[in-house]
Amino acid sequence: MNYNKKSIEDIEVAGKRVLCRCDFNVPTKGGKITSDKRIVAALPTIKYLVDQGAKVILCSHMGKPKGEWKPELSLKIVADRLSELLGKEVIMASDVAGEDSKAKAAALKNGDVMLLENTRYIKGETKNDPELSKALADLADVFVNDAFGTAHRAHSSTAGVADYLPAVCGYLVEKEVSIMGKALANPERPFVAILGGAKVSDKLNVINNLLEKVDTLIIGGGMAYTFLAAKGYGVGTSLLDAEKIDYCKEMMAKAEAKGVNLLLPIDTVVASEFPNPIDGEVSVETVASDAIPADKMGLDIGEKTRALFADAAKNAKTVVWNGPMGVFENPTLAKGTIAVAQALADSDAVTIVGGGDSAAACEQLGFANEITHISTGGGASLEFLEGLELPGIACLQDK
Ligand code: ADP
Ligand code: MG
């Protein structure tokens, strides 16, 4: 995939109708936005377009209305908040590229901003229906994708619309693509990848691609146990993807053949059961990774492993991290994740964190400011690391 894409600064937007796909999928509670982080993050692109005198038409999905007109998933609350942040009116359309959108888009003056309704109110959106893509395109002269979190989806508003309009990226997508693209295509070495978390089967696929690129691959979190099982160790009641044991064996052989340093936990923090509630009290002990008792589950990396992983991360020049090392939501089981976050914070490397829970862990544990880049897209950043083509990026014009 070509990571060098044209951005809003590479084309003329003055006086043009610009359809900009944002990620306004904000968390809400009782009809109120609980975090406006995603709206704030979209401001640089929107302000640039406004300052250039574009007619700005924003769109996004929120939640999963699945083609139903659910009022609680209306983007009106986003329009209100955006209007406060911009200090100017944001015109709210009552439909998605329907009659009202058309009329309002046609009446826009240079520098005006409008927002369409939730794109997933229309069934065609997630099917990448050409009819919806065409209707969206008809509103505008240019398409801008600034939603990285949905860039791995081929939907009408993320990719399909680019079949009919010149398409470029906004600042958010540009940053994601340039930082992660460079790390993958041309990393400063040593290049270390750290994988963890619970979505074992999703993430195991990333390993094959990463082994082509990294000098060291570190595996912790819930993923590690399938590897430990592949080494012939008992893993007790730990997370295990039994169908992937052979794959893990293959990956260990591939690492050896390629001279990649593959690090697995050498000791493990175990408990009798998963804490309930997740941040509730839990009684733990640390055992060697080849001696996990049959009735115990591994919930964090042990102290020796923390030192081993932190050491490898500290000496790197590029680090990509996806997935917590343990059940970090629980203070007793957060030590492995803290150790890795601390190592990233202490290193001079370019550090990139992807994955919703990993990003949350960095923020919750207070390391966010010391990380070079925290990706805004969990699934998208993972597919990026997997070496897959992201439809929402592939559809943009190359530089
Ligand atoms: P991300 O969102 O960063 O991609 P995942 O969603 O794959 O990460 O996994 C995050 C979850 O993994 C966290 O909720 C954490 O509690 C859980 N987790 C980490 N290690 C373990 C483990 N050993 N056993 C069970 N769950 C784990
Ligand atoms: Mg997650």
Side-chain angles (χ1 to χ4, degrees):
M1 191 164 104
N2 185 339
Y3 302 120
N4 206 3
K5 294 293 180 179
K6 279 192 189 170
S7 86
I8 41 177
E9 291 190 15
D10 297 318
I11 53 157
E12 185 64 62
V13 294
K16 300 248 171 86
R17 285 191 176 71
V18 177
L19 177 71
C20 181
R21 175 53 153 104
C22 298
D23 178 5
F24 290 149
N25 186 23
V26 292
T28 63
K29 200 173 182 185
K32 293 224 158 61
I33 296 171
T34 54
S35 164
D36 65 359
K37 221 176 98 185
R38 287 177 169 170
I39 307 176
V40 172
L43 290 175
T45 295
I46 299 171
K47 280 186 177 156
Y48 175 83
L49 294 171
V50 169
D51 289 347
Q52 293 291 309
K55 301 172 172 108
V56 186
I57 305 165
L58 306 172
C59 67
S60 173
H61 82 282
M62 181 155 92
K64 293 181 175 170
K66 298 190 173 159
E68 272 178 61
W69 217 268
K70 296 199 171 147
E72 68 276 16
L73 292 176
S74 166
L75 285 178
K76 177 72 173 54
I77 48 172
V78 172
D80 291 345
R81 182 70 189 120
L82 180 60
S83 167
E84 283 168 23
L85 290 167
L86 284 173
K88 68 184 287 162
E89 186 193 5
V90 173
I91 302 158
M92 186 68 208
S94 63
D95 57 23
V96 187
E99 289 309 314
D100 189 56
S101 299
K102 273 187 222 161
K104 284 180 172 147
L108 290 176
K109 293 189 284 298
N110 293 355
D112 280 354
V113 178
M114 72 178 273
L115 174 61
L116 307 184
E117 258 305 356
N118 190 337
T119 50
R120 291 193 191 168
Y121 277 172
I122 310 293
K123 270 213 171 69
E125 161 73 336
T126 55
K127 299 192 176 105
N128 199 8
D129 178 1
E131 200 181 315
L132 176 59
S133 303
K134 181 83 171 47
L136 285 165
D138 282 346
L139 297 174
D141 308 304
V142 176
F143 173 63
V144 172
N145 188 8
D146 209 23
F148 185 72
T150 46
H152 59 315
R153 309 275 184 227
H155 293 170
S156 286
S157 74
T158 63
V161 60
D163 288 346
Y164 307 97
L165 288 178
V168 300
C169 58
Y171 292 125
L172 278 178
V173 165
E174 183 181 39
K175 185 172 178 224
E176 297 271 4
V177 174
S178 63
I179 294 183
M180 286 205 280
K182 177 164 187 292
L184 287 179
N186 192 17
E188 267 198 73
R189 295 185 181 277
F191 179 14
V192 175
I194 308 172
L195 294 178
K199 280 183 245 147
V200 182
S201 30
D202 279 8
K203 291 192 184 176
L204 285 172
N205 295 330
V206 181
I207 295 170
N208 194 24
N209 187 48
L210 286 178
L211 283 176
E212 306 281 340
K213 320 220 174 235
V214 300
D215 302 294
T216 299
L217 179 61
I218 296 177
I219 305 213
M223 296 183 87
Y225 304 101
T226 307
F227 276 90
L228 295 178
K231 286 180 76 152
Y233 302 168
V235 297
T237 56
S238 310
L239 268 188
L240 175 71
D241 188 343
E243 282 172 17
K244 289 279 166 77
I245 290 178
D246 284 340
Y247 173 84
C248 289
K249 284 183 188 159
E250 261 172 59
M251 291 301 110
M252 289 192 288
K254 179 167 174 176
E256 189 156 348
K258 295 232 161 231
V260 173
N261 186 20
L262 178 68
L263 297 180
L264 296 170
I266 49 178
D267 59 352
T268 299
V269 176
V270 298
S272 299
E273 51 203 15
F274 198 88
N276 181 24
I278 194 162
D279 58 351
E281 211 145 303
V282 57
S283 140
V284 299
E285 61 178 306
T286 302
V287 299
S289 291
D290 60 358
I292 299 175
D295 60 344
K296 300 259 163 135
M297 65 173 66
L299 295 172
D300 194 12
I301 53 175
E303 206 170 330
K304 288 181 190 147
T305 307
R306 279 171 229 156
L308 176 73
F309 287 6
D311 242 26
K314 264 184 208 147
N315 296 320
K317 284 277 183 292
T318 306
V319 184
V320 172
W321 178 25
N322 187 304
M325 294 293 102
V327 182
F328 73 96
E329 296 91 337
N330 189 302
T332 307
L333 303 167
K335 294 184 184 127
T337 303
I338 292 176
V340 165
Q342 185 72 57
L344 262 62
D346 291 346
S347 98
D348 305 324
V350 173
T351 49
I352 301 170
V353 175
D357 290 291
S358 318
C362 283
E363 267 160 34
Q364 202 175 306
L365 304 170
F367 293 99
N369 289 333
E370 284 152 290
I371 305 292
T372 311
H373 178 63
I374 298 186
S375 176
T376 53
S381 69
L382 210 56
E383 292 199 12
F384 212 109
L385 297 181
E386 214 175 319
L388 299 178
E389 190 174 90
L390 277 58
I393 290 166
C395 71
L396 307 178
Q397 291 182 351
D398 294 334
K399 257 200 194 167

